[in-house]
Amino acid sequence: MAAAWLVLVMLLLVGVAVATAEAGGKLRQGFYDRSCPRAEQIVKHYVERHVPRAPSVAATLIRTHFHDCFVRGCDASVLLNATAGGGGGGEEAEKDAAPNLTLRGFAFLDRVKAVVEQECPGVVSCADILALASRDAVAVIGGPFWRVPTGRRDGRVSIKQEALDQIPAPTMNFTDLLASFRAKGLDVADLVWLSGAHTIGISHCNSFSERLYNFTGRGGPGDADPSLDVEYAANLRRTKCITPTDNTTIVEMDPGSFLTFDLSYYRGLLKRRGLFQSDAALITDAAARADVESVAKGPPEVFFQVFARSMVRMGMIGVKTGGEGEIRRHCAVVNS
């Protein structure tokens, strides 16, 4: 059995290498080796110094990277502030959209960018810093480390409505989730493995309260999502989301293990304890459920490898390279 798992891990490692090679001509490993040789080391050292003091930052960095890549590609458009317009008008940005209002990593990324800028002004993109910092933060909390192809450039446009339209919602069923992922060039496996990021981090009651109180529209504690474990739902109503309108209480995505990058998220799914409807959806499809069952029974190294592979694939969505976009001096604003 151990030999079989070893073979699988080796195959997955090859898959990561192949996925990286697919970025040929766009992204490449070591993109900054000549222009800013210490760039990746600077990001890594900053993350290693600060994330242990606030380990929940790892989850928000992954989520920020994910939300960025699903709107206009991985171009750091999610980091841009709203633009000011004449007469007090202006365009609201992606970070103003509801799915992004709870992202908390913007100041952290601004500080990382400032340190890199001191070393190499105008060379390293915010999009690459986000991809690298996400990877390094996962490694710091005990998750996998993978090689990140770099060479992304930063976008100049960020529109609130696009984030509302394109970021997968926690209320989605499997069909809608898969359609959302396929629209970005990802597949069922990527959907399952990237959802595994929910092994860390937190949510708020308003993201899933309908599963507890108003699943069919009748309302009340008796109107819970039948796919949710009864005891788990009762505990959430009793200790966390005490009222249907609670939108401030924080809930662990992976209870008891939300700061540890492990397999407990998948094991919870099989017990019908996925927090979001989109989590529960993963075991409603035969192929996705088979992946969940397989990884839940295996060693964590297998999950680490498949998660890394899918992060590499996600990090290539719609990238801007060459003369496209720009290298922002400050991640929150386009260059003047």
Side-chain angles (χ1 to χ4, degrees), residues 36 76 86 95 100 108 119 171 178 228 280 285 303 315 335:
C36 190
K95 65 167 60 172
N100 294 328
F108 183 94
E119 176 83 6
T171 55
L178 185 56
L228 191 61
D285 174 80
F303 169 45
N335 297 336

Side-chain angles (χ1 to χ4, degrees), residues 181-224:
F181 273 63
R182 282 180 171 163
K184 304 302 178 183
L186 303 178
D187 57 22
V188 173
D190 297 313
L191 169 56
V192 175
W193 308 138
L194 292 173
S195 295
H198 288 175
T199 188
I200 56 175
I202 57 175
S203 182
H204 294 82
C205 291
N206 60 330
S207 295
F208 58 89
S209 60
E210 284 194 356
R211 297 191 76 200
L212 302 177
Y213 289 103
N214 196 31
F215 190 68
T216 68
R218 297 193 316 270
D223 194 19

Side-chain angles (χ1 to χ4, degrees), residues 10-122:
M10 293 302 295
L11 288 172
L12 291 168
L13 280 170
V14 171
V16 172
V18 170
T20 302
E22 289 172 354
K26 292 187 175 182
L27 305 181
R28 69 175 187 269
Q29 292 175 3
F31 181 85
Y32 298 109
D33 283 353
R34 293 186 178 181
S35 58
C36 190
R38 295 183 61 244
E40 293 196 27
Q41 182 183 4
I42 290 170
V43 175
K44 185 170 182 283
H45 284 178
Y46 189 93
V47 170
E48 288 177 339
R49 189 163 65 249
H50 293 280
V51 168
R53 304 174 190 171
S56 62
V57 169
T60 201
L61 289 177
I62 294 178
R63 187 163 166 247
T64 302
H65 187 28
F66 178 88
H67 285 201
D68 179 49
C69 291
F70 265 66
V71 183
R72 292 187 169 266
C74 308
D75 67 347
S77 54
V78 73
L79 306 183
L80 286 171
N81 290 336
T83 57
E91 185 75 40
E92 288 188 297
E94 291 171 33
K95 65 167 60 172
D96 301 309
N100 294 328
L101 293 178
T102 53
L103 295 179
R104 298 171 293 109
F106 299 123
F108 183 94
L109 291 163
D110 286 342
R111 291 193 293 270
V112 178
K113 172 66 170 175
V115 176
V116 174
E117 283 291 300
Q118 289 178 356
E119 176 83 6
C120 308

Side-chain angles (χ1 to χ4, degrees), residues 112-143:
V112 178
K113 172 66 170 175
V115 176
V116 174
E117 283 291 300
Q118 289 178 356
E119 176 83 6
C120 308
V123 174
V124 183
S125 69
C126 297
D128 276 341
I129 287 174
L130 175 54
L132 292 166
S134 301
R135 184 270 314 272
D136 294 334
V138 169
V140 165
I141 63 168

Side-chain angles (χ1 to χ4, degrees), residues 264-276:
S264 58
Y265 165 76
Y266 292 112
R267 292 167 179 162
L269 289 185
L270 296 173
K271 296 176 181 177
R272 301 190 297 125
R273 294 186 175 185
L275 193 62
F276 293 160

